[in-house]
Amino acid sequence: MIPIVAYLIVAAVLFCIGTAGVLICRNIIVMFMSIELMLNAANLVLIAFSRALNITDGQVFVFLVLTVAAAEAAVGLAMVITLYRNRETVNIDRFNIMKW
Amino acid sequence: MSLDVVVFFVSAIVAVFGATMVIIQRNTVASVLYLIVSLVAQAVLYVQLGSLFMGAVLIIVYAGAIMVLFLFVIMLLNLRGREDLADHSPPVSRFTKYLVSVLLFIEMWFIVKSGFFPNTVGGGIMAEQQGTFGSVEDIATILFTRYLYPFELTSVLIMAAIVGAVVMAKRDRSDSSPSVRTRGDKPARTTGDEAGN
């Protein structure tokens, strides 16, 4: 049996890689994928605790998080397409329309 | 070393490796593929933790549908890595970004190691399953009784997301002619490519 802490550490590593990706990458699509990575790390924690406490509620939460992630990806990628149409770039530094 | 430990370490290393390659890769299509690798490894971890259905859903919905959506958009935008996407911020700022991520990990490490969490129970194929834990029946029973209201709300959310995505990605007919004119001031790269072909 593998202790639950091992899964939590894997999730923490994945979450931090996602954070680093959002901070470092300039490509807006890669930033999106890093956000998906962070959501998945949270999902792994939910699944791990669902197993540890033997409660199914955690898996239902994961189900809902997956739905929200799908909605977020659809809207976000539509925004990327619109931005690309106006700016012809995916570099996040050039999307400073709302900066004052 | 039992089979469980081997499976855990292999899938954990593959998941972390795929996630690292996502943010290192210059080619966006390659980073989508690495993310799929990472997701499949995470699905193995889900299965190891006894949630078989969620592992299957992760592969079908995430690796199958959402990642294909990403690939569609990348191919629609026709990104070929010609753009300079390197981080041009000053070195101090770049160093701070790495430092923040590492500090976040150290913080999480201390929380995990604080002994607050149950350490004895864990996952594994060999671990004894309690009844129908993690089966479709188990999840469906709780999803359609106790969590029926949130479940219905997510359908509203999906509906709103579909409408929002269509409205945003749609080319506005009345607005299209001025935007074409303003774009004409710059050297039109895409038009040039089409003329060249």
Side-chain angles (χ1 to χ4, degrees), chain A residues 36 51 54 56-57 82 89, chain B residues 49 62 83 130 146-147:
Chain A
E36 304 282 327
R51 180 77 183 84
N54 218 358
T56 321
D57 297 39
T82 315
T89 179
Chain B
L49 282 165
Y62 240 104
E83 229 179 302
Q130 302 204 340
R146 196 188 304 166
Y147 291 101

Side-chain angles (χ1 to χ4, degrees), chain A residues 12-92:
Chain A
V13 171
L14 287 174
F15 192 90
C16 293
I17 291 171
T19 318
V22 170
L23 290 175
I24 292 159
C25 285
R26 302 289 91 195
N27 188 337
I28 191 166
I29 296 175
V30 178
M31 286 177 77
F32 256 116
M33 285 192 275
S34 304
I35 293 172
E36 304 282 327
L37 212 55
M38 287 155 77
L39 282 171
N40 271 304
N43 280 351
L44 187 58
V45 173
L46 283 171
I47 293 272
F49 275 115
S50 161
R51 180 77 183 84
L53 305 174
N54 218 358
I55 306 172
T56 321
D57 297 39
Q59 299 184 28
V60 176
F61 289 160
V62 171
F63 197 84
L64 300 180
V65 168
L66 280 180
T67 326
V68 172
E72 174 239 319
V75 175
L77 289 172
M79 283 167 72
V80 169
I81 290 178
T82 315
L83 282 168
Y84 190 82
R85 205 178 283 150
N86 287 322
R87 295 276 163 129
E88 302 225 335
T89 179
V90 285
N91 192 338
I92 194 79

